[in-house]
Amino acid sequence: MSYTTQMDAAKKGIITREMEIVARKENMDAEVLRELVAKGQVAIPANKNHKSIDPEGIGTGLRTKINVNLGISKDCPSIDAELEKVQTAIDMKVEAIMDLSSFGKTEEFRKRLIDMSPAMIGTVPMYDAVGFYDKELQDITAQEFLDVVKKHAEDGVDFVTIHAGINKSTADIFKRNPRLTNIVSRGGSLLYAWMELNNQENPFYAYYDQLLDICEEYDLTLSLGDACRPGSINDATDASQIHELIILGELTLRAWERNVQVMIEGPGHMAINEIAANMLLEKKLCHGAPFYVLGPIVTDVAPGYDHITSAIGGAIAASSGADFLCYVTPAEHLRLPNLDDMKEGIIASRIAAHAGDIAKGIKGAKEWDYKMSKARQELNWERMFELAIDPEKARRYRKESMPEHEDSCTMCGKMCSMRNMNKVMAGKNINILREDD
């Protein structure tokens, strides 16, 4: 039996090769996974033209995945520098990479990225349109925007962020409800500007069926972008954000009717006490579609440390139902991240994702922590390094400050609680001041 997309196959009762791979990774029965894909509660972004992909699932009952944003800009146009980051991200086993290139002819970087990456690849075609056509924003036509999406799909991109929810009605809500930071989404702000300059409806909303044609042809997953995500905790959970979310829920159902997989993108900047309610709202209003969040960043006052503010919010979001976390680096709000910034962002995001998985009861999550605790109890340093999220840093810290006694560290020495409890429970003398017998 033939099928067009993962969702189409799932609805027809077909377990695809991609579903089999994801089910093995998640220790899940493939039939259970198929049912979740059929319902739209799990997406498996895997473009038919992305030959190097090692598929991953995003959604209900699965491990929380993380995404890394990379790409060239006008001020930092080096493709080789970005590809070095790509290889490092792949080595660190990230599940997704988004190419957010926003300068010049981006096709070379995008194609090389897709060719080398087993991780799923996402893009925001809106960023590419100005450089692709070498036109000012106002002069780009609705059809040209759609054509850029098709070009990305042909190249093998697995998911695209499309800000289809910032339509005329959402724009009217935004105008009537002033915000401190207006529209901070780069793609969303460009679309809003295009709509205002041309006095036209959002082309991705007006020609949504044509967009779905492209997605269906290539099994391109739609990541419905949140143009009105809050850019400050002051603007969180306001009328613009919620109105757009309602529109995204309607667009989700239209996509599913065409067997197009969907993810929903979410905030943004948000106080801790609002995160759980926002996760519930998304799942309710968007019919259980996978939720992809940026952060949330829980305070606005920590430039240089936003990998931490984001990890705090990401852990709470994941524990409350978010399925996919977009990493944030220490360079957020300041500059294009360098290689070290990217590494820190990845580790912080992985910690948040894993913490969320523990709370959600994801199979195998607590077992990882059990193994680490067992290694600590046994003072088995090599095993601790093997189990660490960042083994390289753990080994380096240990090596930089070696203790006098191998069964301790330089913080506690022979007062180490693990060492002494092991000894006393084995009926041995502790010998803190004297040499061991």
Side-chain angles (χ1 to χ4, degrees):
M1 187 183 298
S2 63
Y3 59 89
T4 56
T5 68
Q6 295 293 322
M7 176 174 266
D8 182 39
K11 288 179 180 178
K12 291 175 176 175
I14 301 169
I15 295 174
T16 65
R17 170 183 167 274
E18 289 80 9
M19 292 179 205
E20 290 174 349
I21 293 171
V22 171
R24 283 198 300 270
K25 289 181 178 182
E26 302 287 345
N27 296 313
M28 176 181 280
D29 182 86
E31 177 60 23
V32 173
L33 179 65
R34 182 198 65 75
E35 292 176 357
L36 290 169
V37 174
K39 293 176 183 176
Q41 293 180 14
V42 165
I44 303 177
N47 187 311
K48 296 171 184 177
N49 290 343
H50 187 180
K51 305 304 182 184
S52 61
I53 192 170
D54 184 6
E56 295 283 357
I58 300 168
T60 301
L62 309 186
R63 290 177 296 107
T64 306
K65 307 306 188 297
I66 72 164
N67 171 71
V68 168
N69 291 337
L70 298 171
I72 56 175
S73 69
K74 186 172 183 178
D75 291 308
C76 302
S78 172
I79 289 177
D80 289 339
E82 286 307 292
L83 287 174
E84 182 184 3
K85 294 181 196 173
V86 169
Q87 188 57 59
T88 300
I90 292 169
D91 292 343
M92 294 178 76
K93 303 187 186 310
V94 303
E95 291 91 6
I97 297 172
M98 286 199 77
D99 172 14
L100 302 189
S101 295
S102 60
F103 172 71
K105 307 299 183 184
T106 61
E107 183 176 356
E108 179 188 352
F109 176 71
R110 182 169 61 252
K111 285 188 171 181
R112 290 174 67 179
L113 169 63
I114 292 166
D115 286 344
M116 70 187 287
S117 177
M120 65 186 103
I121 301 301
T123 60
V124 187
M126 185 71 194
Y127 297 172
D128 195 26
V130 174
F132 186 80
Y133 293 111
D134 196 19
K135 284 184 176 183
E136 286 298 335
L137 178 66
Q138 182 178 2
D139 299 326
I140 300 172
T141 67
Q143 185 59 50
E144 286 173 332
F145 283 127
L146 291 168
D147 288 344
V148 173
V149 176
K150 183 158 188 174
K151 181 68 177 72
H152 284 217
E154 288 173 347
D155 289 345
V157 167
D158 302 296
F159 64 97
V160 285
T161 293
I162 301 291
H163 298 93
I166 178 72
N167 61 7
K168 283 190 172 183
S169 66
T170 306
D172 288 341
I173 293 286
F174 165 70
K175 291 172 185 175
R176 295 199 304 269
N177 294 269
R179 298 176 118 194
L180 178 62
T181 49
N182 295 316
I183 295 176
V184 300
S185 160
R186 182 164 53 178
S189 65
L190 290 171
L191 267 172
Y192 178 82
W194 185 92
M195 292 164 63
E196 290 291 297
L197 291 169
N198 290 287
N199 192 28
Q200 290 186 36
E201 179 59 279
N202 179 343
F204 294 119
Y205 184 80
Y207 301 101
Y208 191 64
D209 286 332
Q210 288 180 235
L211 177 65
L212 295 179
D213 289 340
I214 299 168
C215 294
E216 188 176 20
E217 181 178 356
Y218 296 93
D219 199 358
L220 177 65
T221 298
L222 267 184
S223 189
L224 290 173
D226 52 338
C228 294
R229 71 171 181 262
S232 62
I233 61 172
N234 183 82
D235 295 340
T237 325
D238 71 349
S240 298
Q241 179 195 332
I242 301 306
H243 185 274
E244 183 183 32
L245 190 60
I246 293 169
I247 301 296
L248 298 185
E250 295 170 352
L251 294 174
T252 296
L253 295 179
R254 288 176 59 185
W256 286 348
E257 287 173 1
R258 297 283 302 277
N259 297 317
V260 171
Q261 300 186 103
V262 172
M263 300 185 292
I264 306 296
E265 299 189 10
H269 293 235
M270 180 167 289
I272 284 175
N273 60 309
E274 296 182 47
I275 294 174
N278 269 263
M279 302 306 110
L280 178 62
L281 272 173
E282 184 280 336
K283 289 290 182 178
K284 286 281 189 181
L285 293 175
C286 296
H287 319 288
F291 200 18
Y292 174 25
V293 297
L294 177 66
I297 291 172
V298 296
T299 175
D300 301 331
V301 299
Y305 298 92
D306 277 323
H307 59 310
I308 297 173
T309 64
S310 172
I312 293 167
I316 297 169
S319 69
S320 303
D323 307 292
F324 193 19
L325 304 182
C326 186
Y327 91 150
V328 173
T329 76
E332 184 78 6
H333 304 112
L334 300 172
R335 59 169 167 80
L336 191 78
N338 62 25
L339 186 62
D340 289 336
D341 296 329
M342 185 195 73
K343 289 180 180 179
E344 288 193 56
I346 289 172
I347 295 300
S349 190
R350 287 190 63 195
I351 293 168
H354 179 62
D357 287 349
I358 293 170
K360 284 190 287 194
I362 298 298
K363 189 179 295 185
K366 287 186 71 173
E367 286 75 7
W368 184 6
D369 289 69
Y370 180 89
K371 290 174 184 176
M372 175 62 86
S373 296
K374 181 67 173 170
R376 283 180 174 149
Q377 182 270 319
E378 295 172 348
L379 294 168
N380 185 340
W381 296 98
E382 188 57 36
R383 181 61 172 153
M384 286 185 243
F385 300 149
E386 291 172 0
L387 291 166
I389 275 185
D390 186 356
E392 179 184 342
K393 187 172 185 178
R395 289 180 190 277
R396 175 164 56 84
Y397 272 38
R398 172 78 174 168
K399 188 176 181 179
E400 285 174 351
S401 185
M402 291 296 293
E404 180 183 0
H405 298 277
E406 180 65 24
D407 62 350
S408 64
C409 77
T410 54
M411 182 172 185
C412 298
K414 292 179 75 172
M415 288 189 181
C416 170
S417 60
M418 294 293 186
R419 172 187 183 276
N420 292 333
M421 286 302 298
N422 288 346
K423 283 180 174 290
V424 78
M425 292 184 74
K428 297 179 180 179
N429 195 340
I430 292 179
N431 293 342
I432 293 175
L433 300 179
R434 305 182 304 277
E435 291 299 316
D436 290 345
D437 297 331

